[in-house]
């Protein structure tokens, strides 16, 4: 199918079957996330891929969505709570190594990134969470491309998730989650429902 057909196929599954998503497909979705666009390419988030039933049960207690336990895999997008000098240095070193260029040639870029070190904490948290949401969008499209259903969710207790997953000590906080699996057409009344969207001409304002 082409991209538009794929996007028409996908929807936020309300219930999922017990069928497991293959590790190959999960890995491809994770690779797509790794290639997503982020501000300055810094990727200020991490992704936890959870298939362990016991961990999902604990998370379910802090969530309002059955897809947490019904999912084959639950992806937790956890964004940075701060940016450290070490993180900036590591990223600059990675850029230099990957592109085969001297560290010194990145001094101006490094100086710009170092501006995050003096930013208010709430600004950094909001910025990092926005980058996680960009990655979420990539994951949804990547899953649909593989005919894997997904459900993005904000209906969960962030503080509880952070505690269960030990995120705070890693300098992370849960931003959004994505359930991966296969739609349960018998239990989900929306599985065959028509997609509801406003007309494209109402959504888009074209300035020529």
């Amino acid at each position: 199918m082409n991209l538009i057909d794929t996007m028409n196929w996908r929807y936020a599954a309300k219930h999922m079957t017990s069928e497991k998503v293959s590790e190959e497909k999960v890995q491809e979705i994770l690779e797509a996330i790794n290639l997503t666009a982020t501000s300055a390419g810094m990727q200020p988030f991490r992704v936890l891929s959870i298939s362990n039933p016991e961990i999902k049960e604990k998370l379910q207690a802090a969530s309002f969505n059955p897809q947490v336990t019904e999912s084959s895999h639950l992806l937790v997008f956890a964004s940075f709570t701060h940016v450290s000098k070490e993180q900036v240095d590591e990223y600059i070193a990675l850029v230099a190594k990957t592109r085969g260029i001297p560290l010194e040639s990145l001094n101006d870029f490094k100086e710009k990134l170092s501006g995050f070190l003096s930013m208010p904490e709430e600004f950094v948290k909001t910025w990092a969470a926005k980058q996680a949401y960009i990655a979420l969008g990539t994951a949804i499209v990547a899953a649909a491309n593989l005919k894997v259903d997904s459900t993005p969710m904000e209906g969960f207790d962030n503080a509880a998730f952070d505690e269960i997953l030990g995120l705070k000590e890693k300098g992370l906080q849960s931003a959004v989650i994505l359930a991966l699996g296969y739609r349960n057409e018998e239990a989900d009344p929306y599985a065959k429902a028509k997609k509801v969207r406003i007309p494209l001409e109402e959504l888009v304002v074209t300035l020529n």
Side-chain angles (χ1 to χ4, degrees):
M1 291 198 294
N2 63 33
L3 178 60
I4 300 303
D5 288 339
T6 297
M7 296 305 290
N8 272 307
W9 172 86
R10 70 141 299 276
Y11 79 114
K14 306 307 178 189
H15 287 284
M16 295 179 171
T17 68
S18 59
E19 183 180 355
K20 299 301 179 185
V21 179
S22 71
E23 289 302 323
E24 290 78 13
K25 288 188 176 182
V26 173
Q27 187 63 30
E28 187 168 338
I29 293 167
L30 294 173
E31 288 180 7
I33 292 171
N34 194 35
L35 291 169
T36 196
T38 60
S39 178
M42 281 193 70
Q43 299 174 277
F45 58 86
R46 295 295 180 262
V47 182
L48 287 76
S49 177
I50 304 168
S51 58
N52 183 298
E54 294 181 1
I55 297 176
K56 288 195 292 181
E57 283 288 348
K58 291 179 180 178
L59 296 174
Q60 180 67 72
S63 173
F64 313 114
N65 304 284
Q67 299 95 321
V68 170
T69 47
E70 289 180 355
S71 68
S72 168
H73 292 70
L74 183 71
L75 303 186
V76 178
F77 292 78
S79 52
F80 288 9
T81 56
H82 64 279
V83 175
S84 68
K85 180 180 181 301
E86 290 72 24
Q87 287 168 326
V88 172
D89 289 344
E90 287 174 5
Y91 177 56
I92 291 297
L94 178 62
V95 173
K97 179 181 178 181
T98 302
R99 295 179 174 169
I101 56 179
L103 276 173
E104 297 74 20
S105 68
L106 295 168
N107 283 343
D108 289 345
F109 184 40
K110 181 178 179 180
E111 185 176 349
K112 290 180 180 178
L113 295 183
S114 295
F116 282 109
L117 305 180
S118 59
M119 292 290 186
E121 181 178 294
E122 286 307 311
F123 174 89
V124 174
K125 285 182 177 180
T126 300
W127 166 77
K130 286 180 178 180
Q131 309 313 305
Y133 271 82
I134 294 173
L136 170 72
T138 298
I140 292 171
V141 175
N145 185 59
L146 296 169
K147 289 298 174 288
V148 173
D149 285 296
S150 66
T151 309
M153 296 173 281
E154 295 179 308
F156 63 96
D157 184 333
N158 296 73
F161 266 54
D162 293 354
E163 182 176 353
I164 292 167
L165 299 173
L167 298 181
K168 186 175 181 181
E169 51 266 39
K170 297 180 177 70
L172 298 168
Q173 62 179 9
S174 54
V176 65
I177 61 179
L178 183 70
L180 299 176
Y182 295 101
R183 65 188 68 178
N184 185 336
E185 294 191 355
E186 293 183 1
D188 189 348
Y190 297 99
K192 296 180 180 180
K194 288 187 176 180
K195 192 181 292 292
V196 180
R197 295 292 187 271
I198 62 175
L200 189 61
E201 57 269 23
E202 185 177 338
L203 175 70
V204 179
V205 177
T206 302
L207 303 177
N208 292 322

